[in-house]
Amino acid sequence: MTEAQALIRAVEQADSAPRLVAAVQDLASAEVEAGISTLIAVLGYNNPTAAVAAVQGLIQIGSPAVQPLIEQLDDYNYGARAYAIRALAAIADPRALDILLASAATDFAPSVRRAAAKGLGALRWSELPTNERSTAQVKALETLELILQDADWSIRYAAIVGLQRLATTSELTSQIQGKFAQLLATEKDAAVRSRVQFAQAQLFSITSD
Amino acid sequence: MQSNWSQSAAETEGLTVEQAIANLQSPDLSLRYYAAWWLGKFRVNMPAAVEALIVALEDEADRTELGGYPLRRNAARALGKLGDTQAVPGLIRCLACEDYYVREAAAQSLGMLDAPAAILPLMELLTGGVEEAVPVPGRPHLTQPYDSVIEALGALQAKQAISLIQPFLEHPQAKVQYAATRAMYQLTQEDSYGQSLVKALEGNDLQLRRTALSDLGAIGYLPAREAIARCAVENSFKLLALKGLLEHQAKLHEAPTQDTIQVMTLMDSLL
């Protein structure tokens, strides 16, 4: 048995919550591609500490985890889905664009939508062919603008975080700054307004350099 | 009054405002119940909606087997969200309703409205002190909705209620203790009350950790921000508590401050 197999078996055979957490932490820090499927399965075990460790492991593995994360997205367990989307958002591989667009716009779970909205702002656009780049960024912009109208303040908050990040990673900066100015005229939630002001200040300090 | 409901979001949920208001009088009791919830959920604070909900506080048609008034409960909850003080006299009358859950909803809503007139009627519900604050046999609740009443008095800045509330810090039920702690912080601004709620975030019971989070959000206790972000509770509860901190600061300062930026940075990390 290879070392990776032993680490995977330890996760599968863990018979208590503390042992599961310890085994997941060991597998996660090994950063082996053979462990990807097991780490993804852990996201659905309803053990937040183990899930957070698994997300960290998947993020460290990076690109090789992207396709499996998309394919094994759990349609039935929104907790697991939120962790998977957080991992995809942090890895920031643009192959996750379509799943992030769909999750941000239509997932029924707010936690999934928030994670996707944040992720949409900061994909590594440079990994896309030049001719696809601006189309992809505009899709992200359109979805984020759409969910700015959501009735749930936390979705709007996450959309602003996504837009602020998109403004710094794309050519859409001035368009997004215009959107923020417009938002302050209409947004009534004090917390969401504060986040817009914070985003404006951040963007101002970057664009005025 | 300015309307703050979101028409597009509300109408995708299958009702129009006119329908919802009309449904409050529907022969189908389940439609009435849903309409009351819906008007609160989408914060439809138009005069016609507020008036229809105030009428629903006196409803006699919708009764449970145990004698409860489901429509009154939902109407009372909705009126707190609509922010129209015309509802205050009707909600005060609900504090005397025989249905515990109507009294609870009314107390919560009065705490949300600017309703100094509610202070004395709310204090009356506490007059028996901790000795009378005991479970009702066969029911999952105490004789009065003590936690909601105490929280409302804190929110209404009822300093005259301090000596009445203080003994509830020793109530055997944690959620009543927390409510008293929260109100005492609001009424005295003494740091020790905020700190004891921070300690409660380390407790063993998930439900109580959630309660303590929501209390810290309600009092806007800024020193709790890191502890809130670390607490072993779902992110959505932590976000809501941090939002409370942020809103509290937003009332004091026009523009973001170092403190609010730290709170928002924590919130960003929980998305």
Side-chain angles (χ1 to χ4, degrees), chain A residues 86 111 114-115 118 149-151 153-154 157-158 161 164 188-198 201-202, chain B residues 2-4 6 8-9 42 235-236 239-240 243 246-247 250 254-256 261 263-265 267-271:
Chain A
R86 274 184 210 126
S111 54
R114 290 191 294 260
K118 182 182 176 188
Q149 295 164 31
D150 203 274
W153 73 272
S154 74
Y157 185 101
V161 173
Q164 180 190 327
K188 297 209 170 60
D189 186 288
V192 178
R193 290 181 63 84
S194 294
R195 192 62 188 79
V196 176
Q197 292 174 315
F198 178 33
Q202 296 281 96
Chain B
Q2 196 181 22
S3 174
N4 62 359
S6 160
S8 54
F42 293 106
N235 283 5
S236 51
L239 277 173
L240 203 56
K243 180 182 199 263
L246 187 53
E247 283 172 345
E254 185 82 13
I261 287 171
V263 173
M264 287 188 274
T265 307
M267 289 171 76
D268 291 2
S269 74
L270 296 168
L271 297 175

Side-chain angles (χ1 to χ4, degrees), chain B residues 4-27:
Chain B
N4 62 359
W5 65 285
S6 160
Q7 180 153 15
S8 54
E11 296 197 341
T12 54
E13 303 285 318
L15 272 182
T16 65
V17 172
E18 293 71 26
Q19 272 170 351
I21 293 169
N23 282 358
L24 282 177
Q25 314 275 346
S26 166

Side-chain angles (χ1 to χ4, degrees), chain A residues 101-179:
Chain A
L101 288 170
S103 303
T106 60
D107 202 288
F108 88 91
S111 54
V112 177
R113 299 185 66 196
R114 290 191 294 260
K118 182 182 176 188
L120 274 178
L123 293 175
R124 288 194 305 267
W125 308 111
S126 60
E127 291 177 8
L128 286 173
T130 341
N131 59 341
E132 291 176 21
R133 219 170 279 167
S134 62
T135 317
Q137 291 168 352
V138 168
K139 278 189 193 166
L141 175 69
E142 285 172 352
T143 295
L144 290 170
E145 286 188 338
L146 178 74
I147 65 172
L148 275 179
Q149 295 164 31
D150 203 274
D152 178 343
W153 73 272
S154 74
I155 302 292
R156 302 201 299 282
Y157 185 101
I160 291 156
V161 173
L163 283 170
Q164 180 190 327
R165 300 172 76 182
L166 186 61
T168 59
T169 59
S170 74
E171 306 286 310
L172 300 165
T173 320
S174 61
Q175 218 167 316
I176 291 170
Q177 282 176 312
K179 188 76 199 173

